[in-house]
Amino acid sequence: MSPRHTASRTLTKPAKNLRADPGATEPASAFAVHDDAVPASLTSQAEREALEFPELTHAWPETSLRALPRQSLLHAHRLLFGWLRDPLTTVQVLLYPGLMLVMFKVVLGNSIGAATGQSAIYGQVAMMALIASMVGSMVGAISLQLEKRSGLLSRFWVLPVHRASSLAGRLIAEAVRIIVTTAVILIVGVLLGFRFQNGFWPAVGMFFIPLLFGLAFATMVTAAAVVGGQTKLIEMISLVTSLLMFFNTGFVPLMAYPQWLQTFVEYQPMSCAVEAMRSFALGTPLGNNLWYTLAWAVGLILLFTYPAIRGFRKAANP
């Protein structure tokens, strides 16, 4: 055991047979600190200061906008390290999308390429980046429900911090997760034949679309997690996501679907985002796909932001 740990135990251990001194001017404490119990190696001023809490020089009010970014980053830091230390979350967020991309390339890649004359990897990379952002959001929603049941949200609620910092930190953590996951999928895609053929800024757009799409989806799932309060609602969203995965233009080209289904497939949000990302990678005309994607994402954010804030406040308020 290190000297610092030894000293900590000495400072926090209740003193035995501690009795109040009738002549003392201060009441007896439930804890005793004996200078002679501190090892000689901890007698320096720096080591003694390390065992004390830092002096509070300034306290931001709970409504301080200047404190909101720092406190939001603290919550984001907590969530990211929690996800990183959970093996199941790491597999679902990073390993699962990469393996799915390899499977689609092996099973369907050559068939689609022979039928259309175009490489299927460009649509599959875009589709898996979107799916990874949605799957990760659902994992985050489940962890949010667990925090609600354990009372952790209520504990954060009584802390003297900005009320919006917890929810804002969650969205920041989601953004970091989406960027990392998209980078992993693009790396796997490059190993399978994916290439950026349209320059630097369109390549940045390959990150922007999953980020915007994922944040919109995370807002919707967060609202469902705190308003509904039931895991079944998250499972229903997961089922709809699976159906969208098999009915979009990243899975197979639009002409491969029955004619009566093509209108739905063409304008559902995943197909619009997939086509926009494919255009960014290949340099083909964007058409209206980017505007459709922005409309879907902004619409979801506007529709579910207030229910998410109201539900989060209700779930956290003890």
Side-chain angles (χ1 to χ4, degrees):
M1 184 176 295
S2 65
R4 177 170 297 182
H5 290 170
T6 304
S8 299
R9 292 185 58 183
T10 305
L11 290 171
T12 56
K13 184 177 180 180
K16 296 181 179 179
N17 302 323
L18 184 63
R19 296 180 180 177
D21 184 1
T25 58
E26 296 181 357
S29 172
F31 297 88
V33 180
H34 303 283
D35 291 338
D36 55 354
V38 179
S41 58
L42 296 180
T43 55
S44 67
Q45 182 66 22
E47 290 177 335
R48 287 181 176 275
E49 290 178 354
L51 297 176
E52 299 175 353
F53 288 105
E55 183 180 359
L56 184 62
T57 58
H58 181 77
W60 299 103
E62 295 181 3
T63 57
S64 172
L65 293 178
R66 295 181 62 182
L68 179 59
R70 182 179 181 183
Q71 294 167 358
S72 300
L73 290 176
L74 287 175
H75 279 286
H77 181 272
R78 174 185 66 85
L79 289 170
L80 289 172
F81 270 82
W83 295 341
L84 187 63
R85 291 169 180 172
D86 183 8
L88 182 60
T89 301
T90 304
V91 169
Q92 286 184 313
V93 173
L94 295 179
L95 186 60
Y96 172 76
L99 291 178
M100 287 288 289
L101 180 58
V102 174
M103 186 193 72
F104 281 133
K105 172 63 177 176
V106 173
V107 176
L108 298 174
N110 294 333
S111 301
I112 295 175
T116 63
Q118 299 176 355
S119 175
I121 191 64
Y122 291 92
Q124 292 169 349
V125 166
M127 180 183 67
M128 289 312 304
L130 299 175
I131 291 175
S133 66
M134 292 189 292
V135 171
S137 297
M138 286 185 285
V139 173
I142 293 174
S143 69
L144 176 61
Q145 287 189 327
L146 294 176
E147 291 181 358
K148 175 186 174 183
R149 294 172 187 171
S150 65
L152 186 59
L153 290 183
S154 299
R155 297 177 190 175
F156 289 145
W157 189 257
V158 299
L159 292 177
V161 297
H162 199 288
R163 298 301 188 191
S165 60
S166 181
L167 185 58
R170 185 168 294 276
L171 292 179
I172 293 173
E174 290 285 350
V176 173
R177 177 192 57 76
I178 292 170
I179 292 174
V180 172
T181 306
T182 303
V184 171
I185 292 174
L186 289 175
I187 291 173
V188 176
V190 169
L191 296 176
L192 296 176
F194 179 89
R195 295 292 183 270
F196 294 103
Q197 302 182 18
N198 199 27
F200 175 75
W201 291 112
V204 175
M206 293 287 292
F207 287 88
F208 171 74
I209 291 180
L211 177 61
L212 181 63
F213 190 91
L215 288 179
F217 190 82
T219 304
M220 181 184 69
V221 175
T222 300
V226 294
V227 174
Q230 299 292 331
T231 307
K232 291 184 178 179
L233 190 57
I234 306 299
E235 294 175 351
M236 290 178 61
I237 295 176
S238 176
L239 177 61
V240 173
T241 303
S242 300
L243 293 177
L244 294 179
M245 182 181 71
F246 289 105
F247 294 98
N248 68 83
T249 55
F251 188 66
V252 293
L254 182 63
M255 62 182 182
Y257 292 96
Q259 190 172 4
W260 59 271
L261 191 59
Q262 289 184 2
T263 302
F264 168 77
V265 173
E266 183 177 4
Y267 293 105
Q268 66 117 320
M270 284 190 67
S271 294
C272 300
V274 165
E275 293 305 316
M277 293 178 70
R278 195 202 304 268
S279 298
F280 277 141
L282 295 174
T284 55
L286 275 170
N288 292 322
N289 291 311
L290 181 59
W291 297 114
Y292 291 152
T293 304
L294 294 176
W296 275 110
V298 173
L300 288 176
I301 292 174
L302 292 178
L303 185 62
F304 290 103
T305 294
Y306 180 72
I309 294 175
R310 184 179 176 84
F312 193 89
R313 183 186 182 91
K314 184 177 180 181
N317 199 352

